[in-house]
Amino acid sequence: MSDFPWLLAMIAVPAVGGAAVAALPKGRDLLVKQVTLAVSALVLVLAVLATVAFDTGGDRFQLTTSVSWIPAFGVDFALGVDGIALVMLLLIGVLVPVVVVASWEDTGPGGRSTKAYFAWLLVLEAMMVGVFAATDVFLFYVFFEAMLVPMYFIIGSFGGPRRQYAAVKFFLYSLLGGLVMLASVIGLYVVSNSQLGEGTFAFDALRQLDIDPGVQKLLFLGFFVAFAIKAPLVPFHTWLPDSGAEAPIGGGVLLVGVLDKVGTFGFIRYCLPLFPDASRTFAPWILGLAVAGILYGALLAMGQSDLKRFVTYTSIAHFGFIALGIFAFTAEGGSGAVLYMVNHGISTGILFLAVGMLISRGGSRSIADYGGVAKKAPVLAGVFLVAGLSSLALPGTNSFVSEFLVLLGSFPTRPVFTIVATAGIVLAALYVLLVVQRTMHGPSRGLVVDKPFPDLRRRELAVVAPLIALILVLGVYPQPLLALIDPAVAATMTDIGSDPGGTPPVHEPVTAEQGAN
């Protein structure tokens, strides 16, 4: 079963499905949705079967497919996954069908073509799978840039009143980061050509290069800027509040739940193994940005009046914890960070969906327009509370395990940053519970009084039920995901010279002469 091209199928199925949906005749909205749901469900099945075929005790990269693409430049269409990439594919497989069902009754979000919206969703799914599955650095770059296109149209064509501005801002920020990374990708090719006698973009070959520390720093910064924009880390974050607020709810779920993870995935997949010396050099500065993001995101989330912007600022705070775990250079911190990436996608996904269900009833994004929702829609209020508790990492929910591992892993090597970051835990409780109190409890006011406010329907219950189940199950039993993640993180720690057991790394100084050799 491991010989089957699982990853290629997970890219081809939604890509072909998107083209098929786009080719359907106008006016067949129900068929469009049915085909989209069937295709996304098939991708989920493929992701589960690929996980079954994956051997946690086997090679680092498995389920590989490699076809020569541009032989003159050593570019291959090479796919493969380790445990880190595999859990992200599972997250994609879960969230896309949820988004499809959540958008089921939208007759064209923003009043536009239903067919185009669902076709772009499937194309986006194909690009997201490709960016996590690529093992050729040039192919990774291609998917990194290509996935901007469907998200640009999802935001720009189907978003809120300022959708055009938000879409252009998202595209330009990400494109600029990608171009900076392209310079470093070319630099890696030049270095590989000088050391190996022929240029290559293969990740495994690039990982073996002995790059001069000075050159490492320059190449590292090119990758780092692109990933810091994508994640996003403060101060590269300014595109996210606008894009998240103006995106349609389904697009927002995938934007914050998956696309942003490409940045933190890039840190642990590319920055650390390819540029270990530079990663250690810049780690204190990056950790400073991470902790600043935790506090900054939390404080701005507390002051938000817009529900969707509130969710985006909570995500900025959460990405700070993920970066803290990655650049602590310990196995516990790294595993916690990767698990946090998955759990954040689930927690923020359901929080975005709950916000969307609230907005669909009231027609407003303003927190001040709601109050006493629990009296009219107790199930919706309960879902909102569960999503909020998961977001603040309450013990027993999925996010608690990952946040605990990040703090446990970062304290031995970075105690000061870890202690400051714990303030974000207190602030998270404040910003979540304040919004829950203002919108769900107290006397009914605003739109809750002025408009009918039905509770969740069966379709909406079907949307949130699997995510709530994952929040609870992973809160008490995260081991299945950790069994996939831990070997890949241990291999990454070995790449950078850190003890996979989690003790602080001790490194010999590397001279320029040693790096050149």
Side-chain angles (χ1 to χ4, degrees):
M1 188 166 68
S2 60
D3 293 333
F4 184 81
W6 298 107
L7 304 179
L8 186 61
M10 289 182 67
I11 296 172
V13 167
V16 173
V21 166
L24 291 174
K26 291 183 179 180
R28 302 294 301 274
D29 288 353
L30 179 59
L31 180 60
V32 164
K33 297 169 186 176
Q34 290 171 337
V35 172
T36 305
L37 180 59
V39 171
S40 61
L42 178 56
V43 175
L44 173 58
V45 171
L46 289 171
V48 172
L49 292 176
T51 305
V52 173
F54 188 87
D55 179 9
T56 56
D59 295 337
R60 180 172 182 175
F61 289 97
Q62 301 178 39
L63 313 179
T64 55
T65 298
S66 183
V67 178
S68 181
W69 184 19
I70 312 176
F73 295 101
V75 179
D76 296 326
F77 192 91
L79 306 174
V81 289
D82 59 0
I84 298 171
L86 187 57
V87 295
M88 296 309 300
L89 298 189
L90 288 170
L91 178 64
I92 294 169
V94 169
L95 286 183
V96 175
V98 166
V99 166
V100 173
V101 178
S103 307
W104 198 264
E105 291 186 0
D106 294 336
T107 56
R112 283 158 292 277
S113 169
T114 300
K115 182 173 70 170
Y117 176 72
F118 286 102
W120 282 125
L121 278 181
L122 290 178
V123 174
L124 177 62
E125 182 173 30
M127 299 300 103
M128 292 189 299
V129 171
V131 80
F132 290 112
T135 55
D136 182 282
V137 176
F138 186 82
L139 180 63
F140 168 81
Y141 169 77
V142 170
F143 280 121
F144 184 90
E145 296 288 56
M147 70 181 180
L148 303 181
V149 177
M151 183 53 73
Y152 170 81
F153 283 106
I154 288 172
I155 297 173
S157 299
F158 307 101
R162 300 178 71 240
R163 58 184 177 272
Q164 302 268 346
Y165 167 78
V168 170
K169 191 173 184 180
F170 158 77
F171 192 86
L172 290 180
Y173 267 67
S174 299
L175 183 63
L176 175 62
L179 292 175
V180 174
M181 182 173 70
L182 178 60
S184 288
V185 170
I186 295 172
L188 274 175
Y189 179 85
V190 172
V191 173
S192 69
N193 187 60
S194 65
Q195 292 194 15
L196 304 177
E198 59 178 1
T200 182
F201 292 101
F203 174 76
D204 275 336
L206 296 175
R207 192 165 50 86
Q208 305 299 325
L209 296 178
D210 190 5
I211 306 174
D212 176 83
V215 176
Q216 270 197 45
K217 292 176 184 178
L218 294 174
L219 298 179
F220 172 90
L221 287 174
F223 278 85
F224 172 76
V225 168
F227 297 147
I229 291 173
K230 185 67 71 178
L233 292 183
V234 173
F236 305 96
H237 69 286
T238 56
W239 64 271
L240 180 60
D242 291 315
S243 300
E246 298 303 323
I249 291 298
V253 170
L254 296 179
L255 175 67
V256 181
V258 180
L259 259 73
D260 288 356
K261 306 302 186 307
V262 175
T264 49
F265 172 81
F267 289 151
I268 198 167
R269 165 57 62 82
Y270 295 103
C271 288
L272 268 60
L274 297 181
F275 317 112
D277 297 321
S279 296
R280 291 192 291 272
T281 299
F282 289 110
W285 300 96
I286 298 169
L287 290 168
L289 296 180
V291 172
I294 292 171
L295 302 180
Y296 174 86
L299 291 172
L300 264 68
M302 291 175 63
Q304 289 306 303
S305 59
D306 184 300
L307 282 164
K308 293 173 76 175
R309 292 180 77 89
F310 162 77
V311 178
T312 61
Y313 278 110
T314 66
S315 294
I316 291 171
H318 292 149
F319 280 112
F321 280 106
I322 297 172
L324 174 64
I326 292 172
F327 286 94
F329 303 134
T330 64
E332 291 90 348
S335 293
V338 176
L339 185 61
Y340 211 138
M341 289 161 60
V342 178
N343 286 332
H344 175 264
I346 297 168
S347 302
T348 304
I350 190 172
L351 187 58
F352 235 119
L353 291 168
V355 164
M357 293 169 186
L358 187 62
I359 294 172
S360 69
R361 284 157 172 77
S364 170
R365 294 174 2 196
S366 176
I367 294 173
D369 287 335
Y370 300 94
V373 171
K375 296 178 181 179
K376 284 193 172 182
V379 178
L380 173 58
V383 170
F384 198 96
L385 177 63
V386 171
L389 294 178
S390 176
S391 182
L392 65 84
L394 183 78
T397 63
N398 58 333
S399 298
F400 171 76
V401 180
S402 44
E403 192 165 279
F404 177 77
L405 283 173
V406 165
L407 296 175
L408 180 68
S410 62
F411 185 79
T413 58
R414 306 291 180 179
V416 175
F417 289 110
T418 306
I419 292 170
V420 176
T422 55
I425 300 174
V426 178
L427 294 175
L430 284 173
Y431 63 65
V432 168
L433 296 179
L434 283 173
V435 170
V436 171
Q437 176 65 31
R438 291 170 183 169
T439 58
M440 300 295 134
H441 301 290
S444 298
R445 67 175 185 273
L447 296 171
V448 181
V449 176
D450 299 337
K451 292 190 174 187
F453 229 86
D455 212 340
L456 295 189
R457 305 174 182 89
R458 285 183 295 178
R459 176 185 61 84
E460 293 170 321
L461 288 171
V463 168
V464 299
L467 298 182
I468 292 176
L470 287 173
I471 286 172
L472 298 177
V473 171
L474 293 177
V476 297
Y477 189 58
Q479 186 55 37
L481 290 185
L482 287 173
L484 296 171
I485 294 168
D486 286 346
V489 170
T492 301
M493 294 302 108
T494 301
D495 286 339
I496 64 172
S498 178
D499 180 2
T503 57
V506 178
H507 302 286
E508 295 294 331
V510 180
T511 65
E513 290 77 9
Q514 288 173 322
N517 295 333

